[in-house]
């Protein structure tokens, strides 16, 4: 967006009770990896895994071992990483070795933000990191340049650590991951004359650098001159009177929450008779520099969105951040049992797409896994776009790689790619996916086929949200229901597609729809039928058993609300099961009648002559999320078993029958607590 056009709307909620609710629903729980913006003096995260920290081997201690590894990096015997560039010039060389030696003798490194520094030293380090940061070069995925707010948000993410949930639609727009620079960077609104600001503004960034050494107010964040203001579109310092800071308008420094929707004003300045005055500040803002905290660094990586693979003794696909100079988030693979370690080799070449994430994986008739994933790529028009890609996993390669990559679709009109499913037969591969478009007002379902060397033109199957109501935005408390909005399975030569669709007829209802494809798609048919279609369905999963019977599980619940202006409803409910026999759906069986369930997944035993199916889902009891599981043996469901994680909550469980003697039913989930997002597995059944 051009400077003259660079406007956006910031909404602030001032009612104390309402704002408390917003914070509870949209921010991660308080932990070592969460910064609430109220301490402008110290690093946001207690980690040494950031640019220029000097902890080259990332073990939490800076010692001779780091110098030894740095020697190997400079000698090009080991790959470099961001922690090794301790002088911040973008090059790892002998100067970094000299500086690290000095640090072991008692001197401070420039990146140690918590240590005493002069104002100029802080400015110098910030500007070095801004020169390395790529925010200025970013473009939007929708065919036009980022607006000012997007640049400011991206710089905020890179410097101050945000943990955007994989599945969150914003991850398609912004680069994301664990902190790169670990500097307490804020966003700034310039241009509104109201407080709280509601109006057209320009967005920039700011970091507290303090005053001159002889200034008694050097450590006071209520002094305007103690802040360094930055234009993220130009990597330049902003001063009053510049095009991006009109002294006639207030300057509002704010912290933006985990969802990047809601704002907390830290301090607001106005220029009165040539003097900048702090006319508002958060009552909990620290205004006196505290003693630097003594903490044990937590360098554990976050691991997201696990999916089980029936390869060897079992493998898992997941996302984490690469331990390299680019720090891209990428798809990785690990053997089971899962080892909670840092690093690994990315399965997708970043030149194809970066910031990639797994959407679905299915073993085809040839024994190879077909993988659908999304990521960003630089299009011919020099715009960064979000694409849907297909590839095949070569797990035997060293290192393993997703190869034969082809692009199915790219974002030309939609905001983000929500979810995707893949089917593979001996003659063709089919891809299905949902996208959020029309400024998050419509969710649409598409499909494409590949019977040879190329993918067909994407075809719209249905608009799932026809009421103008966007799907709920997930956050650290609320699950992302996008991956459960549809599922596909094949029985013989027939593709079965089941999806949740919103209908508005005075009130908003969500119904299950079933369609079949042989040579063309059948019309939409409600489940179980037009007259008795079940309403308020939130999500579903389907699977074909050994007998060729299609099983459907879903959950029903109130319409989720994520809008902080309305009462919060998560959208959990009962777990329900149906089958389709002789082209008709059976009566429903309530598997779990308690009202706090969601996110079911099914797997069928391909060798079970009675059509055994295994189920896992997310169950909340007493406010604690736990994993629940059950077995269908052809006629009835077993008793429900539960598993409570000792380290966190059990998000997004998946289930698979793993090879071995005997075979075993394994569940996997995203294990979350205030400090970590990691992966846990558990064997729930042994199959003789």
């Amino acid at each position: 967006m051009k400077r003259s056009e660079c406007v956006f709307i910031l909404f602030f909620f001032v009612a104390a009770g309402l704002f408390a609710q917003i914070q509870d629903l949209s921010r991660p729980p308080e932990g070592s990896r969460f910064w609430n913006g109220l301490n402008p003096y110290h690093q946001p995260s207690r980690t040494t895994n950031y640019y220029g920290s000097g902890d080259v081997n990332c073990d939490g201690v800076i010692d001779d071992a780091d110098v030894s590894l740095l020697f190997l990096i400079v000698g090009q015997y080991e790959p470099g990483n961001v922690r090794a560039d301790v002088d911040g010039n973008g090059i790892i060389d002998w100067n970094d070795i000299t500086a690290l030696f000095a640090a072991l003798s008692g001197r401070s490194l420039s990146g140690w933000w918590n240590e005493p520094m002069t104002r100029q030293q802080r400015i110098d380090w910030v500007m070095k990191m801004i020169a390395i940061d790529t925010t200025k070069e970013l473009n939007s995925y929708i065919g036009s340049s980022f607006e000012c707010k997007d640049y400011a948000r991206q710089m905020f993410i890179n410097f101050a650590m945000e943990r955007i949930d994989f599945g969150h639609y914003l991850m398609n727009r912004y680069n994301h991951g664990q902190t790169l620079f670990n500097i307490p960077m804020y966003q700034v609104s310039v241009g509104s004359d109201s407080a709280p600001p509601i109006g057209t503004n320009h967005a920039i960034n700011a970091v507290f650098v303090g005053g001159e050494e002889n200034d008694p107010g050097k450590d006071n964040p209520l002094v305007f001159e103690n802040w360094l203001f930055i234009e993220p579109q130009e990597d330049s310092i902003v001063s009053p009177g510049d095009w991006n800071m009109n002294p006639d308008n207030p300057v509002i420094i704010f912290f933006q929450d985990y969802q990047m929707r809601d704002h907390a004003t830290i301090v607001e300045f106005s220029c009165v008779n040539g003097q900048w005055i702090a006319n508002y500040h958060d009552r909990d803002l620290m205004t006196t520099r505290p003693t630097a905290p003594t903490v044990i660094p937590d360098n554990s990586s976050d691991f997201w969105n696990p999916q089980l693979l029936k390869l060897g003794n079992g493998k898992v696909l997941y996302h984490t951040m690469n331990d390299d100079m680019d720090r891209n988030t990428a798809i990785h693979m690990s053997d089971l049992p899962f080892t909670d370690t840092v690093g690994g080799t990315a399965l997708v070449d970043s030149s194809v797409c970066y910031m990639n994430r797994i959407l679905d994986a299915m073993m085809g008739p040839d024994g190879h896994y077909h993988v659908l994933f999304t990521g960003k790529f630089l299009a011919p028009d020099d715009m960064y776009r979000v694409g849907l890609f297909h590839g095949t996993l070569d797990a035997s390669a060293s290192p393993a790689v997703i190869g034969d990559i082809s692009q199915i679709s790219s974002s030309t009109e939609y905001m983000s790619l929500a979810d995707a499913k893949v089917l593979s037969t001996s003659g063709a591969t089919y891809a299905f996916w949902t996208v959020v478009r029309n400024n998050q007002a419509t969710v649409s379902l598409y499909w494409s086929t590949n019977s040879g060397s190329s993918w067909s033109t994407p075809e719209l199957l249905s608009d799932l949200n026809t009421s103008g109501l966007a799907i709920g935005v997930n956050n650290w408390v609320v699950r992302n229901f996008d991956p459960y909005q549809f599922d596909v399975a094949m029985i013989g030569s027939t593709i079965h597609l089941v999806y949740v669709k919103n209908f508005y007829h005075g009130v908003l209802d969500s119904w299950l729809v079933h369609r079949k494809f042989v040579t063309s798609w059948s019309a939409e048919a409600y489940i179980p039928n037009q007259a008795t279609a079940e309403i308020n369905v939130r999500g579903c999963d389907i699977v074909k058993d050994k007998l060729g019977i299609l099983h459907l599980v879903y959950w029903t619940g109130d319409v989720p609300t994520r809008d902080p202006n309305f009462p919060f409803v998560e959208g959990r409910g009962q777990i329900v099961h149906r089958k389709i026999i002789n082209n008709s759906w059976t009566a429903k069986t309530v598997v779990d009648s308690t009202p706090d369930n969601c996110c079911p997944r099914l797997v069928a035993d391909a060798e079970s002559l009675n059509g055994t199916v295994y189920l896992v889902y997310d169950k909340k009891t007493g406010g604690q999320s736990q994993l629940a599981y059950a077995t269908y043996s052809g006629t009835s469901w077993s008793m429900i078993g539960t598993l409570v994680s000792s380290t966190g909550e059990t998000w997004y469980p998946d289930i698979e029958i793993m090879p071995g003697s005997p075979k075993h039913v394994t569940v996997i989930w995203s294990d979350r607590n205030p400090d970590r997002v990691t992966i846990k597995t558990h064997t729930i059944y042994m199959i003789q």
Side-chain angles (χ1 to χ4, degrees):
M1 180 172 286
K2 301 293 188 295
R3 297 176 183 178
S4 61
E5 302 170 335
C6 194
V7 297
F8 73 104
I9 298 177
L10 294 177
F11 294 99
F12 279 69
F13 299 93
V14 295
L18 176 58
F19 188 73
Q21 182 189 35
I22 295 172
Q23 287 183 308
D24 290 342
L25 296 182
S26 59
R27 293 182 176 180
E30 295 285 353
S32 66
R33 298 180 178 223
F34 172 66
W35 180 52
N36 62 15
L38 297 174
N39 181 350
Y41 304 100
H42 295 148
Q43 290 173 311
S45 181
R46 61 174 181 91
T47 180
T48 55
N49 191 10
Y50 62 88
Y51 208 105
S53 72
D55 185 10
V56 184
N57 62 8
C58 203
D59 65 354
V61 180
I62 300 173
D63 54 18
D64 292 338
D66 297 297
V67 176
S68 299
L69 180 55
L70 187 52
F71 268 106
L72 294 176
I73 293 173
V74 172
Q76 299 185 359
Y77 296 103
E78 293 287 344
N81 60 66
V82 297
R83 301 176 298 276
D85 182 18
V86 297
D87 64 3
N89 66 353
I91 302 171
I92 302 175
D93 55 20
W94 287 99
N95 292 327
D96 297 297
I97 294 176
T98 301
L100 190 55
F101 262 126
L104 295 181
S105 301
R107 298 187 62 181
S108 294
L109 292 177
S110 299
W112 292 355
W113 194 261
N114 291 354
E115 297 297 311
M117 295 185 197
T118 66
R119 170 186 172 87
Q120 192 58 50
Q121 287 173 328
R122 295 189 187 277
I123 293 174
D124 291 344
W125 183 252
V126 170
M127 297 312 294
K128 281 186 175 183
M129 296 301 97
I130 286 175
I132 291 169
D133 178 53
T134 59
T135 297
K136 183 178 72 171
E137 286 76 31
L138 290 177
N139 287 315
S140 175
Y141 64 92
I142 55 175
S144 61
S145 297
F146 265 19
E147 296 179 0
C148 57
K149 65 178 180 180
D150 297 306
Y151 288 97
R153 286 174 175 176
Q154 186 64 70
M155 183 166 284
F156 169 68
I157 293 169
N158 292 351
F159 278 76
M161 182 181 181
E162 281 290 302
R163 303 171 73 185
I164 300 179
D165 191 342
F166 278 90
H168 194 295
Y169 80 95
L170 284 173
M171 66 179 294
N172 289 276
R173 188 172 184 89
Y174 304 107
N175 294 342
H176 52 278
Q178 292 169 251
T179 183
L180 179 58
F181 301 113
N182 208 13
I183 294 173
M185 182 73 69
Y186 295 85
Q187 296 180 76
V188 180
S189 169
V190 182
S192 173
D193 58 0
S194 59
I198 301 175
T200 57
N201 307 268
H202 180 64
I204 58 176
N205 296 93
V207 61
F208 181 76
V209 294
E212 301 297 341
E213 286 303 299
N214 58 354
D215 184 351
K218 66 177 182 177
D219 287 332
N220 189 352
L222 304 184
V223 176
F224 179 85
E225 290 74 16
N226 290 349
W227 290 86
L228 177 69
F229 297 95
I230 301 156
E231 174 54 67
Q233 299 184 61
E234 299 178 346
D235 289 355
S236 60
I237 296 176
V238 177
S239 299
D242 293 343
W243 71 268
N244 38 18
M245 185 178 284
N246 186 339
D248 293 334
N249 293 323
V251 172
I252 301 156
I253 300 171
F254 66 91
F255 173 87
Q256 195 163 16
D257 75 1
Y258 169 76
Q259 288 298 74
M260 304 215 198
R261 295 182 300 160
D262 307 315
H263 310 74
T265 299
I266 300 300
V267 58
E268 177 181 336
F269 294 101
S270 294
C271 188
V272 180
N273 298 324
Q275 299 293 319
W276 287 93
I277 305 298
N279 51 31
Y280 169 84
H281 70 276
D282 190 295
R283 64 182 181 181
D284 294 321
L285 174 67
M286 292 185 182
T287 57
T288 302
R289 182 180 294 275
T291 302
T294 301
V295 297
I296 299 175
D298 177 8
N299 291 335
S300 302
S301 290
D302 282 343
F303 302 110
W304 302 83
N305 194 25
Q307 294 201 19
L308 291 166
L309 304 179
K310 297 190 293 184
L311 294 173
N313 293 322
K315 296 182 183 295
V316 56
L317 291 179
Y318 60 97
H319 312 107
T320 191
M321 183 169 283
N322 297 334
D323 190 27
D324 56 18
M325 295 300 291
D326 291 331
R327 299 287 280 170
N328 284 331
T329 305
I331 303 169
H332 291 245
M333 185 174 69
S334 176
D335 292 325
L336 291 180
F338 181 75
T339 303
D340 197 352
T341 57
V342 177
T345 302
L347 299 182
V348 177
D349 189 334
S350 61
S351 65
V352 176
C353 72
Y354 73 103
M355 295 292 170
N356 46 77
R357 61 185 176 101
I358 186 75
L359 293 173
D360 193 31
M362 175 191 179
M363 181 179 287
D366 57 1
H368 289 98
Y369 266 94
H370 292 258
V371 180
L372 290 184
F373 61 96
T374 183
K376 296 182 181 180
F377 68 99
L378 185 61
D381 58 2
D382 290 329
M383 296 294 170
Y384 285 95
R385 301 187 183 277
V386 175
L388 174 65
F389 298 86
H390 170 270
T392 54
L393 173 64
D394 186 352
S396 62
S398 184
V401 65
I402 294 176
D404 298 325
I405 294 174
S406 56
Q407 185 173 326
I408 303 173
S409 175
S410 66
S411 56
T412 56
E413 64 163 320
Y414 53 80
M415 286 186 63
S416 66
L417 198 150
D419 189 39
K421 298 288 191 301
V422 61
L423 281 177
S424 178
T425 67
S426 57
T429 303
Y430 308 90
F432 300 78
W433 66 98
T434 49
V435 299
V436 182
R437 59 190 183 91
N438 295 338
N439 196 28
Q440 207 191 351
T442 306
V443 179
S444 300
L445 175 61
Y446 291 84
W447 85 309
S448 177
T449 64
N450 189 332
S451 300
S453 59
S454 63
W455 289 91
S456 64
T457 301
E459 178 184 346
L460 175 65
L461 292 176
S462 182
D463 286 327
L464 305 187
N465 280 353
T466 58
S467 67
L469 175 67
I471 53 175
V473 176
N474 58 292
N475 54 42
W476 208 259
V477 174
V478 179
R479 308 300 191 264
N480 173 29
F481 292 162
D482 296 353
Y484 306 90
Q485 198 162 20
F486 77 96
D487 200 9
V488 292
M490 180 167 282
I491 300 178
S493 59
T494 302
I495 297 175
H496 291 262
L497 171 64
V498 176
Y499 50 86
V500 179
K501 184 168 183 175
N502 288 337
F503 295 88
Y504 190 78
H505 52 97
V507 295
L508 180 68
D509 285 335
S510 297
W511 297 347
L512 277 173
V513 172
H514 177 216
R515 297 178 71 180
K516 295 183 289 185
F517 179 88
V518 180
T519 58
S520 62
W521 283 104
S522 64
E524 292 184 332
Y526 306 121
I527 297 175
N529 53 57
Q530 177 80 39
T532 60
E534 195 161 9
I535 64 173
N536 289 338
V537 177
R538 303 273 69 87
C540 64
D541 197 52
I542 62 175
V543 72
K544 179 194 75 171
D545 69 15
K546 170 69 173 178
L547 305 178
I549 296 174
L550 186 70
H551 294 258
L552 162 68
V553 292
Y554 55 95
W555 81 96
T556 59
D558 292 333
V559 176
T561 56
R562 310 293 190 260
D563 190 332
N565 292 297
F566 296 94
F568 165 65
V569 177
E570 187 174 0
R572 291 173 175 263
Q574 297 180 338
I575 299 292
V576 181
H577 171 244
R578 293 180 188 268
K579 298 185 294 184
I580 188 167
I581 299 177
N582 297 326
N583 293 319
S584 296
W585 289 98
T586 62
K588 70 177 183 181
T589 298
V590 178
V591 182
D592 191 329
S593 61
T594 61
D596 288 320
N597 308 297
C598 69
C599 307
R601 288 299 187 214
L602 290 169
V603 66
D605 187 346
E607 299 176 2
S608 172
L609 297 180
N610 63 355
T612 300
V613 172
Y614 299 95
L615 165 70
V616 65
Y617 57 96
D618 182 335
K619 182 181 183 66
K620 184 175 286 187
T621 302
Q624 171 69 33
S625 174
Q626 56 187 326
L627 182 147
Y629 53 92
T631 305
Y632 183 78
S633 58
T635 57
S636 61
W637 285 93
S638 69
M639 295 287 291
I640 296 171
T642 57
L643 177 66
V644 179
S645 172
S646 61
T647 55
E649 289 201 330
T650 53
W651 288 53
Y652 307 131
D654 194 14
I655 188 168
E656 187 59 87
I657 299 174
M658 307 306 291
S661 182
K663 297 184 299 182
H664 48 284
V665 181
T666 297
V667 292
I668 193 167
W669 67 92
S670 179
D671 196 83
R672 303 189 184 197
N673 63 50
D675 293 326
R676 287 297 310 282
V677 178
T678 187
I679 295 169
K680 294 294 179 68
T681 63
H682 186 76
T683 297
I684 56 175
Y685 300 112
M686 305 299 290
I687 304 176
Q688 300 299 325

